[in-house]
Amino acid sequence: MRTITTPLPPGSTVGILGGGQLARMLALAAGRLGIDCHIYAPEANSPAFAVSAAKSVAAYDDFAALEAFAKQVDVVTYEFENVPGDTAGFLDRLAPVAPGVAALKTAQDRIAEKTFISGLGIPVAPFAEVSGIASLEAAIARIGRPAVLKTRRFGYDGKGQTKICDATDPAAAFAEIGGQPAILEGFVRFETEISVIAARSWPGEVRVYDVPENHHENHILKTSTVPGRISPAVARTAMDFGNRIIAALDYVGVIGIEMFVSGDQVTVNEIAPRVHNSGHWTMDACAVSQFEQHIRAVCGWPLGSPERYADVVMTNLLGDEAQRWRELAAEPRVHLHLYGKREARPGRKMGHFNRLTPRQT
Ligand code: AMP
């Protein structure tokens, strides 16, 4: 494992695995600091390529291409959590990798993730490991219904999960998630979903942004509102959990931690070891955005201030909604971000906008 002990100077290159909108916004933020990005992604039309100094179009298991990439960059980071373990491990021997491989592995497996978080004394939904129908039946007997069955790995935006209600047949539910290794979680009756966006530097400095309230539609994030309708006590608890999790993971970079709120109770749902959609409002409402913060962190720079200058609602533009660009571009106090994706499939994240209002609290 290599680390960074002196800040990478302007003119350095950050290598990013993955070429979607998160990599694109990281590259734009890096550009402002005089830092170049080299994007490594298998898809020839990746949105990040258009704004980056260099690209490698290759598979994540093409070790010759990975080696050549590692030699051309000063630090490696990633925009998605499903980087294969072998890929991250291989790169780790050639270049500093941030966030580190251990944190990545914890976040990739829902059982490891929940075991780790509950080991810190932080509440998570009751959970049990599921490897087949017998263990699913035993897990339902222990946890009760309703519950949520999720694949251990590779789930996102509600994919790879199904709810177990009173009438659900366990075998059918297990088949629905593809019969893969899974986790059964007790259903949390939450009032609000929130997230903590935090950053940690190589020397261990931590910064936490204000806590957004998140609304999902069809399991996809639709809006993040800051400040959210949560009490100051809940916000403090959430930020404290964020601080403890990022420090215990020995994490470097920006992390997104999704949480449920019921009354005063905060329950951690999952960790995303990367910049996060519910942090996009920081681009226009804060002194330093989550994207710049991530670049600063992985490059060994001092972290920036997460101070918020305005109240803000971030709205995702999914599929055809991006056709609203002309109307949104004409609106004062709306900051529009489009990802350069050519094809607007239903539910696809095409862009977002931040609507700012003067800060009230
Ligand atoms: P996830 O893939 O874990 O982020 O879950 C996607 C969404 O499903 C969450 O944002 C929640 O709205 C819902 N969800 C996930 N897990 C639970 C749970 N244990 N109890 C209630 N709702 C859940």
Side-chain angles (χ1 to χ4, degrees):
M1 194 182 90
R2 295 168 186 234
T3 59
I4 288 179
T5 49
T6 48
L8 298 176
S12 301
T13 300
V14 174
I16 304 177
L17 296 176
Q21 67 268 17
L22 299 179
R24 180 179 167 105
M25 291 184 275
L26 284 168
L28 288 168
R32 252 189 38 194
L33 302 178
I35 289 170
D36 290 339
C37 287
H38 182 145
I39 308 294
Y40 188 109
E43 302 85 10
N45 56 355
S46 296
F49 288 161
V51 301
S52 300
K55 64 177 177 182
S56 299
V57 184
Y60 293 119
D61 60 358
D62 180 342
F63 292 97
L66 287 170
E67 185 169 355
F69 165 73
K71 286 189 176 142
Q72 294 173 68
V73 304
D74 299 294
V75 62
V76 173
T77 189
Y78 36 88
E79 63 138 25
F80 70 118
E81 55 271 48
N82 293 327
V83 173
D86 287 352
T87 304
F90 179 79
L91 289 168
D92 193 44
R93 293 193 286 276
L94 303 171
V97 174
V101 178
L104 177 68
K105 285 193 172 151
T106 302
Q108 280 179 336
D109 176 1
R110 291 187 193 271
I111 299 277
E113 179 180 66
K114 288 217 157 50
T115 304
F116 170 78
I117 296 166
S118 59
L120 299 176
I122 294 174
V124 296
F127 66 97
E129 192 176 332
V130 171
S131 52
I133 291 163
S135 60
L136 175 56
E137 281 170 349
I140 294 172
R142 183 154 80 73
I143 287 172
R145 300 176 188 233
V148 185
L149 181 65
K150 304 177 179 177
T151 56
R152 277 179 75 154
R153 305 169 70 86
F154 304 124
Y156 70 99
D157 287 348
K159 293 192 174 64
Q161 64 173 271
T162 185
K163 192 169 169 185
I164 309 245
C165 303
D166 282 347
T168 308
D169 168 26
F174 193 56
E176 197 181 323
I177 63 154
Q180 299 175 60
I183 183 173
L184 187 76
E185 294 178 14
F187 191 81
V188 179
R189 287 187 175 78
F190 59 83
E191 288 134 23
T192 315
E193 290 191 76
I194 60 171
S195 53
V196 168
I197 308 296
R200 186 170 174 276
S201 65
W202 287 100
E205 183 192 10
V206 173
R207 296 278 185 277
V208 185
Y209 288 94
D210 282 348
V211 177
E213 173 181 346
N214 303 320
H215 283 276
H216 297 83
E217 283 175 17
N218 303 320
H219 290 284
I220 301 174
L221 183 68
K222 188 62 199 166
T223 62
S224 293
T225 303
V226 197
R229 287 166 306 165
I230 52 169
S231 68
V234 163
R236 271 196 305 277
T237 301
M239 289 164 95
D240 170 58
F241 289 173
N243 251 298
R244 282 158 57 191
I245 289 170
I246 201 170
L249 282 171
D250 203 16
Y251 192 93
V252 175
V254 167
I255 197 169
I257 308 170
E258 298 177 15
M259 306 182 188
F260 302 130
V261 181
S262 352
D264 284 343
Q265 175 80 15
V266 180
T267 307
V268 172
N269 176 30
E270 68 171 355
I271 295 173
R274 53 173 169 77
V275 287
H276 196 259
N277 195 167
S278 70
H280 288 3
W281 57 274
T282 61
M283 295 174 88
D284 301 302
C286 290
V288 169
S289 76
Q290 65 163 347
F291 298 101
E292 178 175 335
Q293 196 74 295
H294 186 76
I295 296 294
R296 284 172 174 251
V298 303
C299 289
W301 286 34
L303 294 183
S305 165
E307 187 187 354
R308 180 170 58 84
Y309 294 145
D311 290 352
V312 54
V313 180
M314 187 286 308
T315 304
N316 270 338
L317 293 168
L318 306 175
D320 286 341
E321 290 166 0
Q323 288 175 5
R324 291 176 62 198
W325 63 269
R326 197 185 285 257
E327 154 215 334
L328 290 165
E331 238 192 274
R333 293 189 175 157
V334 162
H335 297 253
L336 180 61
H337 302 267
L338 297 172
Y339 306 151
K341 296 182 182 175
R342 300 287 180 263
E343 197 194 335
R345 290 191 294 273
R348 190 175 194 206
K349 290 175 180 167
M350 303 298 289
H352 70 271
F353 64 93
N354 291 323
R355 181 175 275 122
L356 304 190
T357 48
R359 185 169 172 158
Q360 300 294 322
T361 51

